[in-house]
Amino acid sequence: MSEREPVVLDGASLTPDGVASVARDDAKVTIAESAREAVRESRERVEEVLESGEAVYGLNTGFGQLVTERIPEGERERLQTNLVRSHASGVGDELDREAVRAMMLTRINALVKGYSGIREVVIDHLVTMLNEGVHPVVRSRGSLGASGDLAPLAHQALVLLGEGTAEVDGERLDGEAALARAGLEPLSLAAKEGLALINGTQLSVGLAALCVVDAERAVRGADVAGALTTEVSMGTTASCDPAIQDVRPHDGQAASARNVRKLTAGSGIVESHRNCDRVQDAYSLRCLPQVHGAVRDAIAHLREAVENELNSATDNPLVFSGSEVDERASGTASVGVLSGGNFHGEPLALRLDYLTNALTELAAIAERRTDRLLNPNLQEDHLPPFLTPESGVRSGYMIAQYSAATLVNQSRSLGSPATDNTPVSGGQEDHVSMSAESAHHARTAVENALATVGIELLCGAQAMEFVDDGLDPGAGTGAAYDAIREHVPPLDDDRPLHTEIEIATELVATGRLDDAIECALDDTIE
């Protein structure tokens, strides 16, 4: 793999694709000079407030219900250290490597906006850790998505102190040894820094950014799989006519319809039955633009929130120039410190739950199309039961559809964490978003949708083996067939299919299916 272009963090322009590049492809990270200046100015404001002696939350007071406790100057460093230690109380499975990298990256980008009052040396430590592959071991559960993703971010921050555990080149080391591998010394945290490191939505938004990238690939893959299924089951593409979409102008619906028409353009298979006596196709074929399009719109709704959140200041309190705030702010005449709720993950949580539901539907319609290819009670006459010669002696793709049904069932059972609430911190934090749980659920729904689409692609390619050799597929569906056949031979006799399902899923998940089709079409699919 060629080395990726560095991702420049300025607190304003990070994208989901940038997150994926760093989290998955190890693109390097640099900080824009304008962002460094903003960080320095923000820290100077914190120092000014501390010198003034005014009581300001997060700088010289306790936290949560202990907000009224004034912290003397000699205890402020210990306060910040204790905050990180005490909040590193997560449970459950550990986050995987890409999730940790996404969380590290997005936390850095939020901090460099220049409203968190953190020192530049802390930013530099985090950037070096990320670039040198020092990955804190982070428990996946413990965040309520209000006061941010406290527990996961605290596990991440522990390593900066030379505590906790990190993975470096596959080896587990204590925090101090891990930092040493990157040429770093443990940090002592100054006032405000512990809070700034753990208070934000970065687990939620990091996972959400990856979900956006993957979900967009899943829906494109579903358009491809659905077009292939339409073709090999002798369905019609008339339902994708622009006239239908124009009189119900949802953006996603129109995009999926365009994709199907583009993928099947020039198809001899579609042309061969143009004047047949079938009046209508089943809904899983005929309503593909409407269902896939609604999923597209849900993904777009999440992308909008993620792009906003990636470039937002989400900790508390936030430090401003005195001229930017009114007289109710804490601080001095030239510095305003405001407590608010930008750490609350609701803007992400609700849309992540929406994504989970949408991707469940995408998997459900793909599974139904798969059944129509396999099921002897539904499939077309040219297709053998379960797409295998000598069905009965052979089971063909029968059990692959079982797996698709299992994935759909799991996605349907995921629930809606954003509609739940458990008060914490002695009732001070009495409404939480559960955005991190919503992100975990969405991630599962994405994985299930990708695999279900992969199964449909496998079955569509196998069904193509039973289409008249004299009939050519469309350029796009033909490229999808070739992409599958490059790795998976036709199913002539029964064999284990689990590896082949993984291969087809990865073709969609990595974007390699998109690349193959776009190369064949000399055009992009949406």
Side-chain angles (χ1 to χ4, degrees):
M1 180 186 297
S2 60
E3 188 171 338
R4 295 276 181 163
E5 287 292 318
V7 172
V8 180
L9 298 183
D10 57 10
S13 59
L14 183 60
T15 66
D17 298 288
V19 174
S21 181
V22 173
R24 292 173 170 162
D25 301 327
D26 294 347
K28 299 297 184 182
V29 170
T30 62
I31 307 297
E33 184 53 39
S34 61
R36 288 188 175 278
E37 181 59 31
V39 169
R40 289 191 287 266
E41 288 179 1
S42 182
R43 186 62 201 177
E44 288 169 5
R45 289 172 181 151
V46 168
E47 297 294 345
E48 180 179 329
V49 173
L50 291 171
E51 289 172 8
S52 76
E54 182 172 347
V56 176
Y57 175 73
L59 277 66
N60 51 21
T61 71
F63 306 110
Q65 194 183 43
L66 303 177
V67 64
T68 58
E69 296 292 327
R70 186 69 176 269
I71 307 301
E73 182 176 354
E75 294 293 314
R76 290 171 191 166
E77 181 181 316
R78 191 158 73 95
L79 170 70
Q80 300 299 318
T81 300
N82 284 344
L83 180 70
V84 173
R85 287 173 176 163
S86 65
H87 284 57
S89 300
V91 295
D93 294 338
E94 296 167 2
L95 292 177
D96 59 32
R97 182 182 188 274
E98 70 176 38
V100 171
R101 289 182 63 81
M103 186 168 67
M104 293 175 72
L105 173 73
T106 56
R107 187 69 230 148
I108 296 167
N109 196 57
L111 293 172
V112 300
K113 283 192 74 69
Y115 296 98
S116 302
I118 204 163
R119 290 173 298 160
E120 195 173 2
V121 66
V122 181
I123 302 293
D124 287 335
H125 265 58
L126 286 169
V127 169
T128 300
M129 286 171 61
L130 192 54
N131 285 340
E132 297 300 319
V134 177
H135 302 129
V137 174
V138 179
R139 296 288 179 175
S140 60
R141 261 59 188 195
S143 171
L144 304 182
S147 279
D149 298 319
L150 290 172
L153 286 168
H155 281 280
Q156 175 176 289
L158 265 183
V159 177
L160 282 171
L161 309 179
E163 301 178 16
T165 308
E167 279 201 2
V168 186
D169 296 327
E171 184 179 356
R172 292 212 164 190
L173 303 169
D174 64 65
E176 187 172 4
L179 290 176
R181 286 281 185 93
L184 299 173
E185 295 286 339
L187 285 175
S188 295
L189 298 179
K192 178 69 167 67
E193 290 181 335
L195 191 57
L197 285 166
I198 71 172
N199 198 215
T201 58
Q202 277 58 58
L203 174 59
S204 300
V205 76
L207 294 181
L210 297 176
C211 283
V212 166
V213 171
D214 293 343
E216 288 172 345
R217 287 175 176 165
V219 77
R220 287 196 297 271
D223 284 353
V224 175
L228 182 58
T229 297
T230 299
E231 205 170 35
V232 298
S233 60
M234 302 300 165
T236 179
T237 58
S239 57
C240 296
D241 193 296
I244 294 175
Q245 325 317 320
D246 289 346
V247 296
R248 196 194 194 194
H250 293 291
D251 291 342
Q253 175 178 326
S256 283
R258 284 193 295 270
N259 277 347
V260 171
R261 289 173 65 84
K262 188 180 295 186
L263 289 159
T264 58
S267 170
I269 301 172
V270 171
E271 189 63 29
S272 70
H273 56 90
R274 177 182 292 275
N275 298 314
C276 69
D277 58 3
R278 186 193 299 181
V279 178
Q280 294 179 332
D281 290 325
Y283 282 9
S284 59
L285 298 175
R286 191 183 353 148
C287 300
L288 181 157
Q290 289 76 17
V291 177
H292 290 200
V295 176
R296 284 176 170 275
D297 293 340
I299 299 168
H301 194 46
L302 177 60
R303 176 179 270 276
E304 177 187 45
V306 169
E307 289 179 342
N308 198 339
E309 192 79 357
L310 285 173
N311 299 292
S312 296
T314 57
D315 53 298
N316 179 63
L318 295 171
V319 183
F320 299 88
S321 166
S323 63
E324 297 179 273
V325 300
D326 65 28
E327 66 276 3
R328 289 172 294 179
S330 303
T332 67
S334 60
V335 179
V337 182
L338 288 172
S339 287
N342 277 5
F343 51 64
H344 203 290
E346 203 77 84
L348 295 172
L350 292 172
R351 299 192 201 201
L352 283 162
D353 283 359
Y354 180 18
L355 181 75
T356 295
N357 292 332
L359 291 173
T360 300
E361 277 296 275
L362 189 71
I365 196 170
E367 184 275 330
R368 286 294 79 206
R369 289 193 298 261
T370 297
D371 185 57
R372 299 197 75 82
L373 292 175
L374 301 174
N375 188 337
N377 298 306
L378 297 174
Q379 65 189 170
E380 296 302 308
D381 291 342
H382 66 286
L383 299 175
F386 305 106
L387 300 179
T388 182
E390 297 185 54
S391 55
V393 176
R394 299 171 180 166
S395 296
Y397 279 92
M398 178 191 292
I399 306 304
Q401 188 244 333
Y402 284 40
S403 293
T406 299
L407 295 171
V408 172
N409 176 264
Q410 184 191 33
S411 291
R412 285 174 174 155
S413 72
L414 288 173
S416 299
T419 61
D420 192 19
N421 179 59
T422 303
V424 294
S425 193
Q428 174 76 0
E429 299 169 13
D430 60 351
H431 186 276
V432 298
S433 76
M434 298 296 180
S435 58
E437 285 306 302
S438 293
H440 288 307
H441 284 201
R443 206 176 187 205
T444 298
V446 171
E447 291 168 356
N448 290 350
L450 287 166
T452 307
V453 168
I455 290 169
E456 184 185 0
L457 282 168
L458 280 177
C459 292
Q462 180 67 8
M464 187 68 78
E465 307 301 334
F466 301 100
V467 173
D468 188 327
D469 289 342
L471 300 176
D472 293 328
T477 48
Y481 170 84
D482 291 342
I484 293 291
R485 285 290 170 258
E486 184 178 347
H487 304 282
V488 179
L491 188 67
D492 295 326
D493 204 350
D494 281 349
R495 60 179 183 249
L497 298 175
H498 60 93
T499 300
E500 296 170 14
I501 293 172
E502 291 173 2
I503 289 170
T505 301
E506 283 299 302
L507 282 173
V508 181
T510 59
R512 285 188 289 140
L513 180 67
D514 291 343
D515 294 343
I517 290 170
E518 289 171 6
C519 182
L521 295 178
D522 196 25
D523 194 4
T524 60
I525 56 173
E526 299 177 57

